[in-house]
Amino acid sequence: MVKTAASILLTFALIFGLSWIETRYVENVFSQFHMRLTAVQEKAEDGTVTQEDGVGIRDYWNEKRRYLHSWLPHTALQEIDYRVDEMVGFIYVADYKNAVTGLEVLIGLTENIPHSYSLRFENVF
């Protein structure tokens, strides 16, 4: 009986601890991504954004996406892939109005995705 209770508590602590680590990691990645997107958005609004800014965003995302596959579903990551590539294309052709719109969508995704998959009461029930 004591061993069973101890193993249940240990399992619960392990699950809770790993969930906490996962949540912090995902929130940290998306927070940094949000800051980078905001900086590029300001440049796009001013018309001073360059192709290197867009490629820098794409490279950062591609690097972080490899590790996020362990924590998030493929569909969430695929949506960001699509939006990042679209934004880079708009910057490439100097369509800053649509680039700003694409950046707004990406910024919204960086705010919503971590909250959608975090361990919260509203996400569990």
Side-chain angles (χ1 to χ4, degrees):
M1 176 78 169
V2 173
K3 289 182 182 179
T4 303
S7 66
I8 290 171
L9 289 175
L10 180 63
T11 302
F12 176 75
L14 186 61
I15 290 171
F16 181 77
L18 289 174
S19 296
W20 184 80
I21 290 170
E22 173 230 345
T23 300
R24 295 295 156 247
Y25 177 75
V26 170
E27 286 179 357
N28 184 37
V29 167
F30 278 96
S31 174
Q32 291 176 11
F33 192 45
H34 182 273
M35 290 183 339
R36 290 172 185 258
L37 290 170
T38 302
V40 171
Q41 181 188 26
E42 290 173 4
K43 286 183 166 185
E45 288 172 346
D46 296 340
T48 60
V49 68
T50 64
Q51 181 70 19
E52 289 79 24
D53 293 324
V55 170
I57 291 289
R58 183 172 50 203
D59 291 345
Y60 175 81
W61 173 248
N62 287 336
E63 174 190 334
K64 297 300 179 180
R65 180 187 62 192
R66 285 188 289 152
Y67 303 106
L68 289 172
H69 275 289
S70 302
W71 308 109
L72 298 175
H74 180 70
T75 54
L77 302 176
Q78 186 179 16
E79 178 68 21
I80 294 178
D81 289 342
Y82 170 73
R83 297 294 180 170
V84 167
D85 290 339
E86 180 182 52
M87 178 267 307
V88 171
F90 286 138
I91 291 173
Y92 180 74
V93 297
D95 187 353
Y96 301 131
K97 180 181 174 188
N98 283 324
V100 169
T101 303
L103 286 161
E104 281 291 330
V105 171
L106 281 166
I107 288 169
L109 289 171
T110 63
E111 294 168 355
N112 292 327
I113 288 176
H115 297 295
S116 298
Y117 298 104
S118 64
L119 188 60
R120 297 175 187 254
F121 181 77
E122 60 268 13
N123 291 341
V124 175
F125 296 105

